[in-house]
Amino acid sequence: MELLEREGPLEALAQALEDAREGRGSTVLVTGEPGIGKSALVSQFMRDHGERARFLTGTCDDLSVPRPLGPLRDLALTGELADALRSEAPPHRIHALLLDLLAERPRPTVLILEDVHWADDATIDVITVIGRRIARLPALLVLTYRSGEVEPGDPLATALDAIRGGTSVYLRPAPLSRSAVTTLARGRGDAEQIFAATGGNPFYVGELIRSSPGAVPPSVAGAVVGRASRLPESSRRLVELVAMVPTRMPTWILDAIMPEWAEAAEEPERRELLSVEPGSVRFRHELARTAIRSSVPGARRRGLHEDILRALVDGGADPAEIVHHAAEAGNVDALVAYTPVAARRATSAASYREAYSHLHLAVEFADRYPPGERGALLEEFAWTAYVVGRLEEALDAIDLAVAIADESGDRMALGRTTRIRSRLHWYAGDGSAAWREAESAVQVLEPLGPSVELARAYSGLAQLAMLSAHDEEALEWGRRALELAVPLGADDVRAHALVSMGVVRMQRSVDDTAALLEGVEAGMAAGEHHEVVRGLLGLAYTDLQAMRPAASLEFCERGRRYAETHQVDTLLAYLNVILAWLRLRAGDWEEAEHLALVELDTGASVSRLLAQTVLTELAVRRGDSDAAERLTAAADAAERTGEIQRLGPVFELQVERALTGGGPMPAARLARLIEVAGAESLRSGPEAARVAAWAAVAGERLAFDGEAPPAYAAMMAGDYATAARHFGAAGWTYDEALMRSLLDDEASLTEALRTARALSAEPLERRVLARMREAGLPIPRAPKAAPSADPAGLTPRQLEVLGLLADGSTNAEIAERLFLSPRTVEHHVEAILGKLGVSSRREAARLAGEHPMTGGSPA
């Protein structure tokens, strides 16, 4: 069918290709409803520029569980990258080789990945890695996906958000106009009916035009099925068979099932149902395949899937494809045999959601496995469920694995699974349960004699003690772990113990980083990527608590880069929240909120808890209406962990809110903190210094005798002027202003007022104004807003939201377009209404038409 009304998107693609030729690569996002012509647009682009660039095209599968790196495996590749994909090379190796391929000249490379709304985790990682580096490459990354199928918080949404901005082009093809439909339907006499029935969707228009002249079919699916019903019997069978396979049917499978398929394909190809390509046969559009598949009776569908399954097993096909067709055929024996294999392959490619889905299916048939295999399967499922953020399922699975080990009398397995259960409880934020299980694991394993599992159990206790600020206990458990791990060659345990012990030593003296850096190096040498990132995280977090933001940011960025390269996603989420905290303290509240909200939506429980604390701090300082509710929830979650590093920041906010809100100091909360964390954990370390400093502001003195950051030491001494100077030197202007609000001189209060107004920190502003009035001091008038590119004072992100409001987009549509969570969009809309001085979205949309930064003209 002729391609009409696509000149604008084709010009945008051509310009992006020209930029890529000059070494300025970009990502092109092509989105829209099914049938809108995303693939047709990309195909036309390839035809127009086939001589000017190298095109590589892959399509994501609509399998029940996608193949890891499925679209990359479909590329016509040779050389090292092809070998790496075949040999299941580690993800970072595949990323490096793919980047090398995209950097080749003289012609630019265009990598097209279609239907990425079906992408597996490993493919999403590829998109993220390329998207973040594309600006420096002579290449173009083109992604097509269906609008409405990428929810905020989905891994793909997070990836697209990470790469959007100056190096991305967003294309959303519009439906065809009435005029275009009339042009395409010339000679039929029913163009108006076709336009009314399809709304201008190009696929629907094409199907109805191809249907018999006369009455328009009641549905597009009916038109597709009607065309198929008029095929010869052998052709109908082929069409039904091909419809059972998402994306495309390899010809070697057809050769095995239906040797005469080539002759049967002639008529459906002539009628534009199927497309026969070298090595495969596919439908011209996924919607047509879906229509045919849905028309096949259930019993016949199962039989066709069984035929495909046999061919796949005989041909040694990808286990993910085997599992898909086994599930559709209801073949339990095949599911039992291949789901663990498919899961392990997915795990090796870092496609953890896919591994989880396979193992979830396997666990449904757990009673079909011998007890030993069943326990191992449940252990695998527990770990994978944890990785994808399904902690409740992980805990349920590990409980079953513990029970199986206990019943079988396998004490080593019992100790191992109990240790894993401890770790999962910690990630769920349940500190007391984590301690209980960790100690139980040691009790089970010690009578069995020295072992790697016992070393791991000792090291687990060292980490828990470190997190609870039980320094001597942490060092002792770490020493025991090393005494076993080193002679047994357990390099992973050695790295884990060194990192935990290194954090303790750095918390005692912030410049004592040698042990922690040794742990990072040990992790690198052992290939223990998790421990490398944990060590860098420990450096970043301790520097943050010690008020050394520059050093913290350096280690945070190093950790983030390493975690992204090696897919250590659970700790990457934690590092992202540390970055959010650094941004918040530096005064970049909007960016801090955005980073924290992403992790609140998608991170593991521990990172969500930290994100919750960051957002609570922001709410308290901004004076949000839900600040009290957030503070209560954060306090409850922190208390459940029993860890000073969770409890301390919340106590600080409780004192701060009492200061800026005029409420009573949280004496009862402090007493509860001491009871939960233990008095010993409050004697040393930057977290304990923080608690002692804010306790002093609240009028309470704690027995702190360790090394304290200078600002906290000054607070403990009641020297708020010195504390303010140290906060200012760190660039933490809000904290500086809060300390100045505790002073009485005019200069300090005036400076505090200026900072509060600049940050829109209304509670602090009210406090300072009240103090100045009580002292009879002159109150400076609020300065006029400084001239800016936006007269209304909207941030760049708020201008984006306003522009979409003017287009009539709903919050959900804005969230999808900008890859934000609905909650973030709601906050932006509220802020826009306030800054524009209007009370409704309609009024804001009207003003947007006059706003120079959204393309309007000032009144």
Side-chain angles (χ1 to χ4, degrees), residues 681-714:
S681 68
L682 294 170
R683 298 190 68 89
S684 65
E687 283 285 8
R690 182 179 186 173
V691 172
W694 286 100
V697 173
E700 302 287 342
R701 297 290 171 182
L702 299 185
F704 180 85
D705 52 18
E707 177 184 306
Y712 296 148

Side-chain angles (χ1 to χ4, degrees), residues 572-617:
L572 175 60
Y574 203 111
L575 284 161
N576 286 337
V577 183
I578 290 178
L579 180 60
W581 216 341
L582 286 165
R583 293 281 188 263
L584 190 155
R585 290 295 171 108
D588 189 353
W589 289 4
E590 183 185 9
E591 178 65 11
E593 181 178 41
H594 173 62
L595 288 166
L597 280 171
V598 168
E599 298 310 329
L600 192 69
D601 288 340
T602 63
S605 287
V606 174
S607 59
R608 282 202 301 269
L609 194 156
L610 187 58
Q612 181 183 12
T613 304
V614 171
L615 292 169
T616 301
E617 182 170 314

Side-chain angles (χ1 to χ4, degrees), residues 428-675:
D430 191 343
S432 61
W435 270 100
R436 181 183 66 245
E437 296 299 321
E439 290 170 341
S440 178
V442 168
Q443 291 169 5
V444 170
L445 292 166
E446 278 188 331
L448 305 180
S451 68
V452 172
E453 278 304 327
L454 180 57
R456 289 196 179 102
Y458 285 157
S459 195
L461 278 170
Q463 183 178 8
L464 289 174
M466 174 270 290
L467 292 165
S468 300
H470 298 162
D471 293 359
E472 292 301 330
E473 196 175 345
L475 293 173
E476 174 59 21
W477 286 119
R479 183 189 61 77
R480 291 193 194 183
L482 290 175
E483 285 180 352
L484 287 179
V486 172
L488 291 172
D491 293 337
D492 61 323
V493 182
R494 176 174 174 267
H496 186 273
L498 285 172
V499 167
S500 297
M501 297 167 77
V503 170
V504 170
R505 293 197 169 101
M506 187 179 176
Q507 287 175 342
R508 285 180 163 184
S509 178
V510 72
D511 291 317
D512 185 3
T513 59
L516 190 44
L517 290 171
E518 183 187 358
V520 171
E521 291 173 4
M524 287 182 176
E528 290 295 321
H529 303 312
H530 187 279
E531 293 314 307
V532 174
V533 180
R534 193 167 72 91
L536 293 170
L537 190 158
L539 288 156
Y541 189 85
T542 306
D543 274 328
L544 171 62
Q545 301 314 311
M547 288 183 54
R548 305 203 307 186
S552 178
L553 180 61
E554 179 185 349
F555 286 120
C556 182
E557 293 294 6
R558 279 182 59 187
R560 292 173 77 231
R561 287 193 298 271
Y562 194 95
E564 286 168 359
T565 301
H566 298 282
Q567 290 83 47
V568 188
D569 292 341
T570 49
L571 296 186
L572 175 60
Y574 203 111
L575 284 161
N576 286 337
V577 183
I578 290 178
L579 180 60
W581 216 341
L582 286 165
R583 293 281 188 263
L584 190 155
R585 290 295 171 108
D588 189 353
W589 289 4
E590 183 185 9
E591 178 65 11
E593 181 178 41
H594 173 62
L595 288 166
L597 280 171
V598 168
E599 298 310 329
L600 192 69
D601 288 340
T602 63
S605 287
V606 174
S607 59
R608 282 202 301 269
L609 194 156
L610 187 58
Q612 181 183 12
T613 304
V614 171
L615 292 169
T616 301
E617 182 170 314
L618 182 59
V620 168
R621 295 186 170 188
R622 206 163 49 193
D624 292 353
S625 58
D626 63 348
E629 180 183 343
R630 283 182 177 274
L631 193 50
T632 299
D636 291 345
E639 182 172 322
R640 189 163 172 259
T641 69
E643 295 173 2
I644 185 64
Q645 64 172 315
R646 318 295 173 204
L647 293 160
V650 176
F651 174 67
E652 174 186 337
L653 293 178
Q654 290 165 333
V655 175
E656 183 179 316
R657 190 162 189 272
L659 283 175
T660 59
M665 287 294 172
R669 282 290 188 178
L670 177 59
R672 180 61 179 158
L673 185 156
I674 295 169
E675 179 186 348

Side-chain angles (χ1 to χ4, degrees), residues 5 25 51 99 153 182 207 223 252 293 297 300 311 428 468 528 536 545 570 574 674 689 739 745 761 763 832:
E5 300 182 336
E51 298 299 318
L99 289 169
T182 300
E207 286 304 313
W252 67 266
R293 185 185 183 282
R300 177 157 175 72
S468 300
E528 290 295 321
L536 293 170
Q545 301 314 311
T570 49
Y574 203 111
I674 295 169
M739 290 297 101
D745 63 285
I832 289 167

